[in-house]
């Protein structure tokens, strides 16, 4: 036996980037491959592709580096042109390809998300033409009848400009990263996010958006309204736990060690410590 025979085969070169496509309804698809962690398969957040008489609306546009694979995935599900993009929030894994569909596309986002995007290098100079052209404060309806889309803003959470996108005729809600995964929320304080406000914001969503059956989360497989309600309870538990631990003078490590996710089936605690840290930082101010 030669030494070479004992060696591991060389790592495979990176293959073509492929984005998984899920048909949720005849006229709504989700482009996934959205679970963070592995750079070879993480294309950015879940994208909704809504095909209407007037054209195609995208909710979010993944990472810039995944542009070609993203455009291919959109072409796979429709030959109609993209006429509107809704950004759930400012992050680059949700806004990375806003510039790939031409300057006439209507880009829509919450007013605070537009302000956050204006500070991103990706939207400076020539790219400023791809900043949102339409913004709103609390609620905005786009289109009519079966093509109507409702946008809601309920307060700070992941950022200070998170939009909840509802397709009423399809009974579908896209939450962006206000429900990214079954783990602690990420709260981007530099963009106005708040892990303390997060559960209060989600409580308003649960109380207001009732006529949906399917929830498209930011970075995980399809969920139900029940899952969203459970997520609201989870984030409320976590925020209350962190605030109580802070008040009791515990360290972040102590607060993390004392928080159990066991009563939430399928939940992970990979982001719990960062979320508790975020609450502590918020209480410091
Ligand atoms: Zn995000």
């Amino acid at each position: 036996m030669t030494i070479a025979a004992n060696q591991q085969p060389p790592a495979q070169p990176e293959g073509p980037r492929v984005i998984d496509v899920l048909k949720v309804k005849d006229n709504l698809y989700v482009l996934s491959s959205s679970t963070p962690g592995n750079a070879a398969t993480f294309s950015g957040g879940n994208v909704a592709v809504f095909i209407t008489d007037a054209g195609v609306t995208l909710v979010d546009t993944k990472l810039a580096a995944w542009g070609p694979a993203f455009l291919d995935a959109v072409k796979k599900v429709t030959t109609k042109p993209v006429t509107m993009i809704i950004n759930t929030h400012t992050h680059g894994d949700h806004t990375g390809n806003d510039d790939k569909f031409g300057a006439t596309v209507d880009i829509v986002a919450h007013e605070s998300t537009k302000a956050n995007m204006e500070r991103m290098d990706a939207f400076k100079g020539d790219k400023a033409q791809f900043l949102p052209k339409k913004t709103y404060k609390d609620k905005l309806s786009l289109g009519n009848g079966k093509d109507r889309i409702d946008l809601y803003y309920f307060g700070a959470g992941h950022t200070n400009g998170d939009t909840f996108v509802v397709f009423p005729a399809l009974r579908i809600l896209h939450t962006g990263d206000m429900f990214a995964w079954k783990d602690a929320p990420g709260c981007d304080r530099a963009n106005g996010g708040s892990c303390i406000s997060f559960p209060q914001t989600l409580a308003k969503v649960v109380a207001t958006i009732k006529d949906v059956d399917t929830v498209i989360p930011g970075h995980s497989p399809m969920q139900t309204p029940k899952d969203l309600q459970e997520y609201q309870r989870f984030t409320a538990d976590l925020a209350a736990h962190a605030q109580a631990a802070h008040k009791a003078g515990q360290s972040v490590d102590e607060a993390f060690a004392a928080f159990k996710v066991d009563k939430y089936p399928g939940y992970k605690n990979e982001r719990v410590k960062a979320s508790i840290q975020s609450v502590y930082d918020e209480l410091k101010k």
Side-chain angles (χ1 to χ4, degrees):
M1 188 185 281
T2 64
I3 290 168
N6 284 330
Q7 288 172 346
Q8 293 293 319
Q12 293 298 309
E14 195 181 315
R17 289 174 154 163
V18 176
I19 293 174
D20 292 331
V21 177
L22 175 70
K23 181 177 181 173
V24 182
K25 299 278 180 186
D26 282 342
N27 59 340
L28 191 137
Y29 293 79
V30 171
L31 310 183
S32 56
S33 306
S34 59
T35 305
N38 182 348
T41 57
F42 176 56
S43 65
N46 281 328
V47 168
V49 183
F50 183 47
I51 304 161
T52 76
D53 293 343
V56 178
T57 294
L58 302 176
V59 179
D60 289 345
T61 61
K62 294 193 175 286
L63 289 163
W66 281 68
F70 175 50
L71 296 185
D72 282 353
V74 173
K75 276 188 205 134
K76 229 186 257 175
V77 302
T78 180
T79 53
K80 289 189 177 181
V82 171
T83 50
M84 195 189 317
I85 292 169
I86 297 163
N87 290 130
T88 59
H89 63 290
T90 191
H91 291 151
D93 56 333
H94 298 260
T95 58
N97 294 294
D98 281 13
D99 61 343
K100 302 295 194 302
F101 299 92
T104 59
V105 171
D106 241 340
I107 302 181
V108 188
H110 184 262
E111 59 184 22
S112 301
T113 285
K114 182 182 182 182
N116 293 336
M117 289 166 79
E118 281 168 346
R119 296 197 308 272
M120 292 168 72
D121 287 344
F123 292 96
K124 285 188 177 149
D126 271 3
K127 299 283 188 182
Q129 62 181 312
F130 299 105
L131 284 164
K133 296 173 181 75
K134 196 176 285 173
T135 61
Y136 75 103
K137 200 178 174 69
D138 299 310
K139 192 185 170 194
L140 176 66
S141 285
L142 305 158
N144 295 299
K146 66 181 181 9
D147 292 343
R148 197 179 92 222
I149 304 170
D150 294 332
L151 310 187
Y152 296 86
Y153 177 73
F154 291 107
H158 182 60
T159 68
N160 61 357
D162 302 295
T163 288
F164 292 82
V165 184
V166 178
F167 304 95
L170 303 181
R171 301 178 61 86
I172 292 173
L173 160 66
H174 193 311
T175 62
D177 285 354
M178 285 301 291
F179 182 16
W181 40 55
K182 291 190 171 181
D183 196 338
C187 307
D188 177 359
R189 298 189 64 245
N191 281 306
S194 165
C195 275
I196 294 175
S197 299
F198 205 109
Q200 298 154 21
T201 299
L202 279 185
K204 290 180 201 160
V205 178
V206 168
T208 308
I209 301 175
K210 294 193 172 294
D211 296 326
V212 297
D213 307 313
T214 304
V215 176
I216 303 171
H219 291 277
S220 47
M222 297 308 99
Q223 308 287 340
T224 67
K226 257 200 153 88
D227 294 312
L228 179 62
Q229 288 164 24
E230 181 184 53
Y231 191 62
Q232 191 280 327
R233 292 195 297 274
F234 172 82
T235 59
D237 262 10
L238 179 56
H241 173 86
Q243 288 173 92
H246 182 270
K247 203 172 174 190
Q250 291 179 13
S251 68
V252 170
D253 281 323
E254 286 167 333
F256 172 55
F259 188 77
K260 301 285 173 246
V261 297
D262 315 25
K263 63 174 165 166
Y264 297 95
Y267 272 66
K268 293 182 174 172
N269 68 352
E270 291 169 5
R271 297 176 173 89
V272 167
K273 192 174 165 182
S275 208
I276 292 172
Q277 181 68 58
S278 184
V279 170
Y280 273 52
D281 292 345
E282 219 173 316
L283 291 170
K284 226 182 269 168
K285 67 179 179 203

